[in-house]
Amino acid sequence: MSPRAYIAWVVGGCLALLAPVLILNLMLLANDQRHDKNRLASRWQQESGGVTYAPPITSNRAFKTLRLADRLPEINTLVFGSSTAMSITADALPPELRAYNFAQSGNPLLSVIGEATYVITHFGDHVRWLVIPVDWSIGFVYQSGAPYSADLSPGKVAPPSALPLATRMREALSLPRISTLVGILREIAVAKDRAALARHFFTDAAGDPYPCAEGGTARDFDVTFRGQCAGFRADGSATFADQKRISAVTAAGVIAQAASASSQYARALDRTAGQPDAELLNHLSALLKQARAQGIRVVFYLPPLIPGLDARLAASAHSGEKLRRTKAVLAQWAKQQQTVIFDAGASEQYGCTATEFIDAHHALPVCYRKIMARLLAPERSTP
């Protein structure tokens, strides 16, 4: 066989293997587009109080906007932020603060300012407390620019639109999608009624409700993470059930890597030598002034890091001075604004342990309950 023929044979074989994968995953993606899963998942959670999410799990704005509209009559507190704040459950706050967690994956502080401004303007009669993380560890306090505009009215949540074919093909051939498809095909292969289960996966909007280990029920409106109770509770907090927890065995290695000069935390500090963006702080000042004019309380905090990391970074030659500059500038801003930024970075001071994290900057609810007990202690929660 000639080299050209051999290459053609290998390429043809690969294409023959990939073609069914591509077709089946494109069918699954088409099913996501066929149903308005944000509204379906939101409606189911409103009726059941269970755990759910609308795909993809990394893009939550539409789903949470719909949930906020439903929850608004029952709440007086909103938690904002990115995934670092998603573990804050309603029961971590004092009973008089009836909270919904509006935090979203990858949501920067500039976006939070826009969201909070919208809430003050349109929902100020309901929402009287805003809980806002001032996150340096993933670089948000160093970003410049204007706050992102936000419209949190449910009517602005559009139904799914078709993605370009090239985008769908890349997604269909991604490793997570292929892994999920393999799991689906295995389930179908051992099912008593394979045709019915295949129709269920490829045409139905959601799986059947099922019980969660922590109590309650879940329903998956996506084929990814099906059966894991992944997604959001009715209070908006994330279960992180699809993520592994740090163990006592691996904690030291996680902390050492996170404290190194090449870590994402050191790089975040290095971006502006630890100098928070002055324009961003001005936008925060304007937000605080607007909230106070309507009698709305704003609580700022630095999100928790895995125990020991804050101290290791502060003691390091590569990041210590920059971290001290960040905290000094934020403290000075807070003093000028006659407010407080509660520093929860050294989470060990509040009783958190490494096993209460999924990585170096994502704390789980058990850690956040300890922190919020201090942050929103009775003497601090009086308007």
Side-chain angles (χ1 to χ4, degrees):
M1 181 182 293
S2 68
R4 181 175 296 178
Y6 176 77
I7 292 172
W9 182 84
V10 171
V11 171
C14 291
L15 291 176
L17 289 173
L18 286 176
V21 172
L22 176 63
I23 292 169
L24 290 173
N25 269 334
L26 285 174
M27 291 172 63
L28 289 171
L29 288 168
N31 191 45
D32 285 345
Q33 300 295 312
R34 187 179 301 119
H35 305 282
D36 191 346
K37 293 191 174 185
N38 283 303
R39 283 187 164 79
L40 292 173
S42 178
R43 187 179 306 136
W44 179 83
Q45 188 172 75
Q46 180 68 9
E47 294 170 351
S48 68
V51 172
T52 191
Y53 74 95
I57 199 170
T58 54
S59 180
N60 332 122
R61 168 61 69 85
F63 173 74
K64 287 213 164 182
T65 297
L66 294 171
R67 295 303 301 126
L68 174 59
D70 285 334
R71 295 298 313 277
L72 198 58
E74 310 163 21
I75 65 171
N76 63 6
T77 303
L78 270 181
V79 176
F80 294 92
S82 67
S83 57
T84 62
M86 281 184 177
S87 287
I88 301 176
T89 54
D91 62 9
L93 279 59
E96 63 272 19
L97 272 62
R98 303 181 303 279
Y100 181 72
N101 190 323
F102 193 67
Q104 302 146 51
S105 301
N107 201 38
L109 188 51
L110 285 170
S111 178
V112 167
I113 294 171
E115 294 165 354
T117 300
Y118 184 94
V119 167
I120 293 168
T121 303
H122 295 87
F123 304 149
D125 292 341
H126 294 279
V127 179
R128 310 304 297 163
W129 288 77
L130 311 178
V131 180
I132 296 178
V134 183
D135 207 327
W136 69 262
S137 67
I138 46 181
F140 289 161
V141 299
Y142 311 115
Q143 292 180 347
S144 60
Y148 303 171
S149 61
D151 187 337
L152 306 183
S153 55
K156 291 295 184 179
V157 177
S161 56
L163 298 172
L165 178 59
T167 302
R168 282 179 284 152
M169 291 180 67
R170 283 195 300 270
E171 175 68 13
L173 293 176
S174 67
L175 184 57
R177 280 283 177 178
I178 294 174
S179 177
T180 298
L181 178 62
V182 169
I184 290 172
L185 296 178
R186 284 175 179 167
E187 285 191 48
I188 293 173
V190 300
K192 291 182 179 179
D193 190 338
R194 291 191 289 270
L197 187 58
R199 285 194 300 271
H200 175 66
F201 274 114
F202 286 92
T203 64
D204 290 352
D208 296 327
Y210 59 93
C212 293
E214 67 176 34
T217 60
R219 193 178 187 196
D220 302 317
F221 285 78
D222 192 8
V223 294
T224 308
F225 310 123
R226 186 160 287 197
Q228 298 184 32
C229 289
F232 301 103
R233 303 177 184 91
D235 65 4
S237 63
T239 67
F240 287 118
D242 55 308
Q243 301 290 325
K244 291 182 178 180
R245 275 54 175 161
I246 290 176
S247 69
V249 175
T250 60
V254 171
I255 297 167
Q257 194 286 322
S260 70
S262 61
S263 73
Q264 67 179 96
Y265 314 105
R267 293 197 303 272
L269 288 164
D270 191 56
R271 179 178 175 181
T272 62
Q275 180 69 38
D277 186 76
E279 185 181 6
L280 182 143
L281 293 180
N282 288 336
H283 294 312
L284 277 179
S285 299
L287 173 68
L288 186 58
K289 181 179 179 181
Q290 184 181 2
R292 284 171 169 167
Q294 295 196 32
I296 297 173
R297 289 290 301 271
V298 184
V299 177
F300 298 105
Y301 73 97
L302 302 184
L305 300 175
I306 191 170
L309 176 56
D310 192 89
R312 290 272 293 270
L313 287 170
S316 69
H318 57 77
S319 295
E321 182 179 348
K322 299 166 189 174
L323 180 55
R324 286 187 289 275
R325 180 178 296 118
T326 293
K327 293 190 176 185
V329 170
L330 293 176
Q332 181 61 29
W333 174 86
K335 183 178 180 180
Q336 292 171 348
Q337 300 301 316
Q338 298 182 325
T339 188
V340 174
I341 300 179
F342 185 87
D343 187 357
S347 62
E348 64 272 19
Q349 296 180 4
Y350 310 103
C352 294
T353 65
T355 56
E356 295 167 359
F357 284 73
I358 61 172
D359 59 27
H361 65 280
H362 283 96
L364 291 167
V366 62
C367 174
Y368 260 117
R369 289 190 184 98
K370 301 169 188 177
I371 289 169
M372 289 297 159
R374 291 279 295 274
L375 172 56
L376 295 167
E379 64 269 22
R380 291 180 53 81
S381 62
T382 304

mmCIF file with all atom_site columns, all heavy atoms in Angstrom, residues 96-114:
data_model
loop_
_atom_site.group_PDB
_atom_site.id
_atom_site.type_symbol
_atom_site.label_atom_id
_atom_site.label_alt_id
_atom_site.label_comp_id
_atom_site.label_asym_id
_atom_site.label_entity_id
_atom_site.label_seq_id
_atom_site.pdbx_PDB_ins_code
_atom_site.Cartn_x
_atom_site.Cartn_y
_atom_site.Cartn_z
_atom_site.occupancy
_atom_site.B_iso_or_equiv
_atom_site.pdbx_formal_charge
_atom_site.auth_seq_id
_atom_site.auth_comp_id
_atom_site.auth_asym_id
_atom_site.auth_atom_id
_atom_site.pdbx_PDB_model_num
ATOM 1   N N   . GLU A 1 96  ? -34.291 37.389 58.561 1.00 0.00 ? 96  GLU A N   1
ATOM 2   C CA  . GLU A 1 96  ? -34.976 38.574 58.053 1.00 0.00 ? 96  GLU A CA  1
ATOM 3   C C   . GLU A 1 96  ? -34.495 38.977 56.658 1.00 0.00 ? 96  GLU A C   1
ATOM 4   O O   . GLU A 1 96  ? -35.126 39.788 55.985 1.00 0.00 ? 96  GLU A O   1
ATOM 5   C CB  . GLU A 1 96  ? -34.810 39.754 59.016 1.00 0.00 ? 96  GLU A CB  1
ATOM 6   C CG  . GLU A 1 96  ? -33.389 40.248 59.217 1.00 0.00 ? 96  GLU A CG  1
ATOM 7   C CD  . GLU A 1 96  ? -32.648 39.528 60.329 1.00 0.00 ? 96  GLU A CD  1
ATOM 8   O OE1 . GLU A 1 96  ? -33.076 38.422 60.722 1.00 0.00 ? 96  GLU A OE1 1
ATOM 9   O OE2 . GLU A 1 96  ? -31.629 40.082 60.814 1.00 0.00 ? 96  GLU A OE2 1
ATOM 10  N N   . LEU A 1 97  ? -33.371 38.408 56.222 1.00 0.00 ? 97  LEU A N   1
ATOM 11  C CA  . LEU A 1 97  ? -32.868 38.656 54.871 1.00 0.00 ? 97  LEU A CA  1
ATOM 12  C C   . LEU A 1 97  ? -33.290 37.482 53.988 1.00 0.00 ? 97  LEU A C   1
ATOM 13  O O   . LEU A 1 97  ? -32.666 36.425 53.989 1.00 0.00 ? 97  LEU A O   1
ATOM 14  C CB  . LEU A 1 97  ? -31.346 38.806 54.857 1.00 0.00 ? 97  LEU A CB  1
ATOM 15  C CG  . LEU A 1 97  ? -30.794 40.218 55.100 1.00 0.00 ? 97  LEU A CG  1
ATOM 16  C CD1 . LEU A 1 97  ? -31.193 40.730 56.468 1.00 0.00 ? 97  LEU A CD1 1
ATOM 17  C CD2 . LEU A 1 97  ? -29.274 40.218 54.969 1.00 0.00 ? 97  LEU A CD2 1
ATOM 18  N N   . ARG A 1 98  ? -34.376 37.669 53.277 1.00 0.00 ? 98  ARG A N   1
ATOM 19  C CA  . ARG A 1 98  ? -34.913 36.615 52.412 1.00 0.00 ? 98  ARG A CA  1
ATOM 20  C C   . ARG A 1 98  ? -34.247 36.755 51.041 1.00 0.00 ? 98  ARG A C   1
ATOM 21  O O   . ARG A 1 98  ? -34.594 37.636 50.255 1.00 0.00 ? 98  ARG A O   1
ATOM 22  C CB  . ARG A 1 98  ? -36.432 36.733 52.315 1.00 0.00 ? 98  ARG A CB  1
ATOM 23  C CG  . ARG A 1 98  ? -37.117 36.669 53.684 1.00 0.00 ? 98  ARG A CG  1
ATOM 24  C CD  . ARG A 1 98  ? -38.622 36.771 53.570 1.00 0.00 ? 98  ARG A CD  1
ATOM 25  N NE  . ARG A 1 98  ? -39.075 37.980 52.880 1.00 0.00 ? 98  ARG A NE  1
ATOM 26  C CZ  . ARG A 1 98  ? -39.183 39.181 53.434 1.00 0.00 ? 98  ARG A CZ  1
ATOM 27  N NH1 . ARG A 1 98  ? -38.852 39.350 54.710 1.00 0.00 ? 98  ARG A NH1 1
ATOM 28  N NH2 . ARG A 1 98  ? -39.610 40.221 52.727 1.00 0.00 ? 98  ARG A NH2 1
ATOM 29  N N   . ALA A 1 99  ? -33.301 35.877 50.774 1.00 0.00 ? 99  ALA A N   1
ATOM 30  C CA  . ALA A 1 99  ? -32.372 36.113 49.661 1.00 0.00 ? 99  ALA A CA  1
ATOM 31  C C   . ALA A 1 99  ? -32.616 35.210 48.461 1.00 0.00 ? 99  ALA A C   1
ATOM 32  O O   . ALA A 1 99  ? -33.084 34.071 48.584 1.00 0.00 ? 99  ALA A O   1
ATOM 33  C CB  . ALA A 1 99  ? -30.939 35.914 50.136 1.00 0.00 ? 99  ALA A CB  1
ATOM 34  N N   . TYR A 1 100 ? -32.289 35.754 47.291 1.00 0.00 ? 100 TYR A N   1
ATOM 35  C CA  . TYR A 1 100 ? -32.132 34.964 46.077 1.00 0.00 ? 100 TYR A CA  1
ATOM 36  C C   . TYR A 1 100 ? -30.713 35.195 45.565 1.00 0.00 ? 100 TYR A C   1
ATOM 37  O O   . TYR A 1 100 ? -30.237 36.331 45.494 1.00 0.00 ? 100 TYR A O   1
ATOM 38  C CB  . TYR A 1 100 ? -33.139 35.352 44.991 1.00 0.00 ? 100 TYR A CB  1
ATOM 39  C CG  . TYR A 1 100 ? -32.971 34.515 43.752 1.00 0.00 ? 100 TYR A CG  1
ATOM 40  C CD1 . TYR A 1 100 ? -33.359 33.181 43.747 1.00 0.00 ? 100 TYR A CD1 1
ATOM 41  C CD2 . TYR A 1 100 ? -32.382 35.026 42.593 1.00 0.00 ? 100 TYR A CD2 1
ATOM 42  C CE1 . TYR A 1 100 ? -33.180 32.382 42.620 1.00 0.00 ? 100 TYR A CE1 1
ATOM 43  C CE2 . TYR A 1 100 ? -32.206 34.238 41.467 1.00 0.00 ? 100 TYR A CE2 1
ATOM 44  C CZ  . TYR A 1 100 ? -32.608 32.910 41.489 1.00 0.00 ? 100 TYR A CZ  1
ATOM 45  O OH  . TYR A 1 100 ? -32.415 32.128 40.381 1.00 0.00 ? 100 TYR A OH  1
ATOM 46  N N   . ASN A 1 101 ? -30.031 34.107 45.214 1.00 0.00 ? 101 ASN A N   1
ATOM 47  C CA  . ASN A 1 101 ? -28.662 34.187 44.725 1.00 0.00 ? 101 ASN A CA  1
ATOM 48  C C   . ASN A 1 101 ? -28.685 34.355 43.207 1.00 0.00 ? 101 ASN A C   1
ATOM 49  O O   . ASN A 1 101 ? -28.981 33.422 42.468 1.00 0.00 ? 101 ASN A O   1
ATOM 50  C CB  . ASN A 1 101 ? -27.890 32.928 45.114 1.00 0.00 ? 101 ASN A CB  1
ATOM 51  C CG  . ASN A 1 101 ? -26.400 33.054 44.841 1.00 0.00 ? 101 ASN A CG  1
ATOM 52  O OD1 . ASN A 1 101 ? -25.993 33.651 43.854 1.00 0.00 ? 101 ASN A OD1 1
ATOM 53  N ND2 . ASN A 1 101 ? -25.586 32.489 45.708 1.00 0.00 ? 101 ASN A ND2 1
ATOM 54  N N   . PHE A 1 102 ? -28.356 35.571 42.759 1.00 0.00 ? 102 PHE A N   1
ATOM 55  C CA  . PHE A 1 102 ? -28.381 35.910 41.336 1.00 0.00 ? 102 PHE A CA  1
ATOM 56  C C   . PHE A 1 102 ? -27.006 35.781 40.687 1.00 0.00 ? 102 PHE A C   1
ATOM 57  O O   . PHE A 1 102 ? -26.822 36.150 39.532 1.00 0.00 ? 102 PHE A O   1
ATOM 58  C CB  . PHE A 1 102 ? -28.915 37.334 41.173 1.00 0.00 ? 102 PHE A CB  1
ATOM 59  C CG  . PHE A 1 102 ? -29.290 37.703 39.759 1.00 0.00 ? 102 PHE A CG  1
ATOM 60  C CD1 . PHE A 1 102 ? -30.362 37.098 39.128 1.00 0.00 ? 102 PHE A CD1 1
ATOM 61  C CD2 . PHE A 1 102 ? -28.572 38.662 39.061 1.00 0.00 ? 102 PHE A CD2 1
ATOM 62  C CE1 . PHE A 1 102 ? -30.715 37.432 37.824 1.00 0.00 ? 102 PHE A CE1 1
ATOM 63  C CE2 . PHE A 1 102 ? -28.913 39.014 37.754 1.00 0.00 ? 102 PHE A CE2 1
ATOM 64  C CZ  . PHE A 1 102 ? -29.986 38.387 37.136 1.00 0.00 ? 102 PHE A CZ  1
ATOM 65  N N   . ALA A 1 103 ? -26.028 35.234 41.412 1.00 0.00 ? 103 ALA A N   1
ATOM 66  C CA  . ALA A 1 103 ? -24.679 35.095 40.866 1.00 0.00 ? 103 ALA A CA  1
ATOM 67  C C   . ALA A 1 103 ? -24.686 34.177 39.647 1.00 0.00 ? 103 ALA A C   1
ATOM 68  O O   . ALA A 1 103 ? -25.455 33.223 39.579 1.00 0.00 ? 103 ALA A O   1
ATOM 69  C CB  . ALA A 1 103 ? -23.731 34.553 41.930 1.00 0.00 ? 103 ALA A CB  1
ATOM 70  N N   . GLN A 1 104 ? -23.803 34.485 38.695 1.00 0.00 ? 104 GLN A N   1
ATOM 71  C CA  . GLN A 1 104 ? -23.743 33.745 37.426 1.00 0.00 ? 104 GLN A CA  1
ATOM 72  C C   . GLN A 1 104 ? -22.301 33.414 37.073 1.00 0.00 ? 104 GLN A C   1
ATOM 73  O O   . GLN A 1 104 ? -21.379 34.129 37.445 1.00 0.00 ? 104 GLN A O   1
ATOM 74  C CB  . GLN A 1 104 ? -24.353 34.593 36.303 1.00 0.00 ? 104 GLN A CB  1
ATOM 75  C CG  . GLN A 1 104 ? -25.780 35.028 36.527 1.00 0.00 ? 104 GLN A CG  1
ATOM 76  C CD  . GLN A 1 104 ? -26.044 36.393 35.927 1.00 0.00 ? 104 GLN A CD  1
ATOM 77  O OE1 . GLN A 1 104 ? -25.745 36.636 34.771 1.00 0.00 ? 104 GLN A OE1 1
ATOM 78  N NE2 . GLN A 1 104 ? -26.592 37.299 36.723 1.00 0.00 ? 104 GLN A NE2 1
ATOM 79  N N   . SER A 1 105 ? -22.129 32.359 36.326 1.00 0.00 ? 105 SER A N   1
ATOM 80  C CA  . SER A 1 105 ? -20.793 31.919 35.929 1.00 0.00 ? 105 SER A CA  1
ATOM 81  C C   . SER A 1 105 ? -20.057 33.027 35.171 1.00 0.00 ? 105 SER A C   1
ATOM 82  O O   . SER A 1 105 ? -20.599 33.602 34.227 1.00 0.00 ? 105 SER A O   1
ATOM 83  C CB  . SER A 1 105 ? -20.891 30.679 35.038 1.00 0.00 ? 105 SER A CB  1
ATOM 84  O OG  . SER A 1 105 ? -21.530 29.626 35.698 1.00 0.00 ? 105 SER A OG  1
ATOM 85  N N   . GLY A 1 106 ? -18.834 33.310 35.594 1.00 0.00 ? 106 GLY A N   1
ATOM 86  C CA  . GLY A 1 106 ? -17.989 34.265 34.888 1.00 0.00 ? 106 GLY A CA  1
ATOM 87  C C   . GLY A 1 106 ? -18.494 35.686 34.876 1.00 0.00 ? 106 GLY A C   1
ATOM 88  O O   . GLY A 1 106 ? -18.102 36.468 34.003 1.00 0.00 ? 106 GLY A O   1
ATOM 89  N N   . ASN A 1 107 ? -19.320 36.052 35.834 1.00 0.00 ? 107 ASN A N   1
ATOM 90  C CA  . ASN A 1 107 ? -19.949 37.377 35.829 1.00 0.00 ? 107 ASN A CA  1
ATOM 91  C C   . ASN A 1 107 ? -19.037 38.405 36.493 1.00 0.00 ? 107 ASN A C   1
ATOM 92  O O   . ASN A 1 107 ? -18.865 38.386 37.710 1.00 0.00 ? 107 ASN A O   1
ATOM 93  C CB  . ASN A 1 107 ? -21.289 37.298 36.576 1.00 0.00 ? 107 ASN A CB  1
ATOM 94  C CG  . ASN A 1 107 ? -22.229 38.416 36.210 1.00 0.00 ? 107 ASN A CG  1
ATOM 95  O OD1 . ASN A 1 107 ? -22.283 38.821 35.053 1.00 0.00 ? 107 ASN A OD1 1
ATOM 96  N ND2 . ASN A 1 107 ? -22.991 38.898 37.173 1.00 0.00 ? 107 ASN A ND2 1
ATOM 97  N N   . PRO A 1 108 ? -18.451 39.336 35.744 1.00 0.00 ? 108 PRO A N   1
ATOM 98  C CA  . PRO A 1 108 ? -17.484 40.270 36.325 1.00 0.00 ? 108 PRO A CA  1
ATOM 99  C C   . PRO A 1 108 ? -18.153 41.378 37.136 1.00 0.00 ? 108 PRO A C   1
ATOM 100 O O   . PRO A 1 108 ? -19.372 41.584 37.053 1.00 0.00 ? 108 PRO A O   1
ATOM 101 C CB  . PRO A 1 108 ? -16.775 40.845 35.096 1.00 0.00 ? 108 PRO A CB  1
ATOM 102 C CG  . PRO A 1 108 ? -17.798 40.764 34.013 1.00 0.00 ? 108 PRO A CG  1
ATOM 103 C CD  . PRO A 1 108 ? -18.596 39.524 34.290 1.00 0.00 ? 108 PRO A CD  1
ATOM 104 N N   . LEU A 1 109 ? -17.363 42.097 37.893 1.00 0.00 ? 109 LEU A N   1
ATOM 105 C CA  . LEU A 1 109 ? -17.877 43.160 38.752 1.00 0.00 ? 109 LEU A CA  1
ATOM 106 C C   . LEU A 1 109 ? -18.528 44.273 37.935 1.00 0.00 ? 109 LEU A C   1
ATOM 107 O O   . LEU A 1 109 ? -19.517 44.874 38.375 1.00 0.00 ? 109 LEU A O   1
ATOM 108 C CB  . LEU A 1 109 ? -16.739 43.716 39.618 1.00 0.00 ? 109 LEU A CB  1
ATOM 109 C CG  . LEU A 1 109 ? -17.101 44.712 40.720 1.00 0.00 ? 109 LEU A CG  1
ATOM 110 C CD1 . LEU A 1 109 ? -18.222 44.197 41.611 1.00 0.00 ? 109 LEU A CD1 1
ATOM 111 C CD2 . LEU A 1 109 ? -15.860 45.049 41.551 1.00 0.00 ? 109 LEU A CD2 1
ATOM 112 N N   . LEU A 1 110 ? -18.006 44.559 36.750 1.00 0.00 ? 110 LEU A N   1
ATOM 113 C CA  . LEU A 1 110 ? -18.624 45.573 35.895 1.00 0.00 ? 110 LEU A CA  1
ATOM 114 C C   . LEU A 1 110 ? -20.045 45.172 35.506 1.00 0.00 ? 110 LEU A C   1
ATOM 115 O O   . LEU A 1 110 ? -20.928 46.019 35.376 1.00 0.00 ? 110 LEU A O   1
ATOM 116 C CB  . LEU A 1 110 ? -17.777 45.802 34.643 1.00 0.00 ? 110 LEU A CB  1
ATOM 117 C CG  . LEU A 1 110 ? -16.483 46.600 34.836 1.00 0.00 ? 110 LEU A CG  1
ATOM 118 C CD1 . LEU A 1 110 ? -15.632 46.544 33.573 1.00 0.00 ? 110 LEU A CD1 1
ATOM 119 C CD2 . LEU A 1 110 ? -16.776 48.037 35.230 1.00 0.00 ? 110 LEU A CD2 1
ATOM 120 N N   . SER A 1 111 ? -20.270 43.880 35.326 1.00 0.00 ? 111 SER A N   1
ATOM 121 C CA  . SER A 1 111 ? -21.619 43.402 35.041 1.00 0.00 ? 111 SER A CA  1
ATOM 122 C C   . SER A 1 111 ? -22.492 43.486 36.281 1.00 0.00 ? 111 SER A C   1
ATOM 123 O O   . SER A 1 111 ? -23.671 43.864 36.203 1.00 0.00 ? 111 SER A O   1
ATOM 124 C CB  . SER A 1 111 ? -21.565 41.961 34.529 1.00 0.00 ? 111 SER A CB  1
ATOM 125 O OG  . SER A 1 111 ? -22.866 41.459 34.291 1.00 0.00 ? 111 SER A OG  1
ATOM 126 N N   . VAL A 1 112 ? -21.931 43.144 37.424 1.00 0.00 ? 112 VAL A N   1
ATOM 127 C CA  . VAL A 1 112 ? -22.676 43.217 38.688 1.00 0.00 ? 112 VAL A CA  1
ATOM 128 C C   . VAL A 1 112 ? -23.166 44.638 38.948 1.00 0.00 ? 112 VAL A C   1
ATOM 129 O O   . VAL A 1 112 ? -24.304 44.852 39.388 1.00 0.00 ? 112 VAL A O   1
ATOM 130 C CB  . VAL A 1 112 ? -21.806 42.717 39.852 1.00 0.00 ? 112 VAL A CB  1
ATOM 131 C CG1 . VAL A 1 112 ? -22.426 43.084 41.201 1.00 0.00 ? 112 VAL A CG1 1
ATOM 132 C CG2 . VAL A 1 112 ? -21.607 41.210 39.757 1.00 0.00 ? 112 VAL A CG2 1
ATOM 133 N N   . ILE A 1 113 ? -22.320 45.619 38.680 1.00 0.00 ? 113 ILE A N   1
ATOM 134 C CA  . ILE A 1 113 ? -22.717 47.012 38.897 1.00 0.00 ? 113 ILE A CA  1
ATOM 135 C C   . ILE A 1 113 ? -23.927 47.355 38.031 1.00 0.00 ? 113 ILE A C   1
ATOM 136 O O   . ILE A 1 113 ? -24.882 48.000 38.492 1.00 0.00 ? 113 ILE A O   1
ATOM 137 C CB  . ILE A 1 113 ? -21.535 47.961 38.597 1.00 0.00 ? 113 ILE A CB  1
ATOM 138 C CG1 . ILE A 1 113 ? -20.417 47.741 39.622 1.00 0.00 ? 113 ILE A CG1 1
ATOM 139 C CG2 . ILE A 1 113 ? -21.988 49.414 38.620 1.00 0.00 ? 113 ILE A CG2 1
ATOM 140 C CD1 . ILE A 1 113 ? -19.131 48.478 39.284 1.00 0.00 ? 113 ILE A CD1 1
ATOM 141 N N   . GLY A 1 114 ? -23.912 46.912 36.781 1.00 0.00 ? 114 GLY A N   1
ATOM 142 C CA  . GLY A 1 114 ? -25.058 47.149 35.904 1.00 0.00 ? 114 GLY A CA  1
ATOM 143 C C   . GLY A 1 114 ? -26.312 46.455 36.399 1.00 0.00 ? 114 GLY A C   1
ATOM 144 O O   . GLY A 1 114 ? -27.416 47.030 36.388 1.00 0.00 ? 114 GLY A O   1
#
